[in-house]
Amino acid sequence: CQAEQHAHGRGLAHRGHSGTPAAEAVALDMKDNSAGQARTPQAAIVYVRLSDTKDDAAGALSLADQEARACKRADSLGWTIARVVTENDLTCSGKRSNASAYKQRKVTHPDGRVTYEDRRPRWREVLAALATGANDGLIVLDLDRAIRRLRSAQDLIDVNRATGVPIESASGSLRIYGPEDYDQATIIAWAASK
């Protein structure tokens, strides 16, 4: 996988991090992409997540393995990878924080609305990059690396509906190209949340 902004370092560096803070909430121009027009991404993101870096050290589900498998799938699809975004339990200061897809935080929006969002800043960055067109596709190893809650599935569906960006997984458990995939993604996310 040849990512233009790919850094091989692990640990404190978050590969693909642009240095700009991720949006608290991704606001989408909700134009309807009901045609579900598939296109081949020229600046896709590979997203890898590890809830606990101890698992990486043990080789249980390493970041390197997730990246290699996702990149292999991207290559087979003819996708061009622009960057790899890593979400792990190490903060920039080297302290541990929880990168689990199950951890959420309460967010109060300017209009007074309260939502609960995944406590994964790189994930929010990925959603913002897809929503704004900075990147045009997403590939993950497996469904559970991206979503474990219905809200996360809905975020991906909203991004696809608004922009048409395709979303894939190396395992085949996640595929969102258009409206025909929304129900399946929601059902799988619901089952994963149990």
Side-chain angles (χ1 to χ4, degrees), residues 91-165:
T91 65
C92 291
S93 64
K95 295 180 182 178
R96 291 197 183 278
S97 74
N98 200 324
S100 171
Y102 289 112
K103 297 297 180 186
Q104 293 185 321
R105 66 185 172 131
K106 181 179 177 179
V107 176
T108 303
H109 298 273
D111 63 3
R113 222 172 11 104
V114 174
T115 59
Y116 292 87
E117 298 175 353
D118 292 334
R119 188 176 284 171
R120 297 183 289 159
R122 302 291 80 76
W123 176 247
R124 303 308 303 169
E125 179 184 311
V126 166
L127 291 174
L130 295 172
T132 62
N135 294 97
D136 61 357
L138 172 65
I139 190 161
V140 297
L141 171 65
D142 199 5
L143 170 89
D144 72 343
R145 298 297 89 197
I147 56 178
R148 288 219 178 136
R149 294 191 180 271
L150 288 173
R151 177 73 255 160
S152 297
Q154 192 59 52
D155 288 343
L156 285 178
I157 289 168
D158 288 348
V159 165
N160 176 270
R161 183 176 288 133
T163 66
V165 298

Side-chain angles (χ1 to χ4, degrees), residues 29-41:
D29 171 15
M30 293 307 293
K31 66 181 179 184
D32 189 15
N33 181 45
S34 59
Q37 300 161 344
R39 58 182 186 257
T40 303

Side-chain angles (χ1 to χ4, degrees), residues 40-81:
T40 303
Q42 299 302 305
I45 296 174
V46 167
Y47 175 77
V48 295
R49 182 181 62 78
L50 197 60
S51 301
D52 189 341
T53 52
K54 294 174 190 171
D55 290 340
D56 192 37
L61 181 64
S62 75
L63 294 169
D65 179 58
Q66 289 182 53
E67 182 180 332
R69 291 170 60 191
C71 287
K72 182 177 178 182
R73 177 69 175 145
D75 289 343
S76 75
L77 294 169
W79 290 21
T80 302
I81 301 301

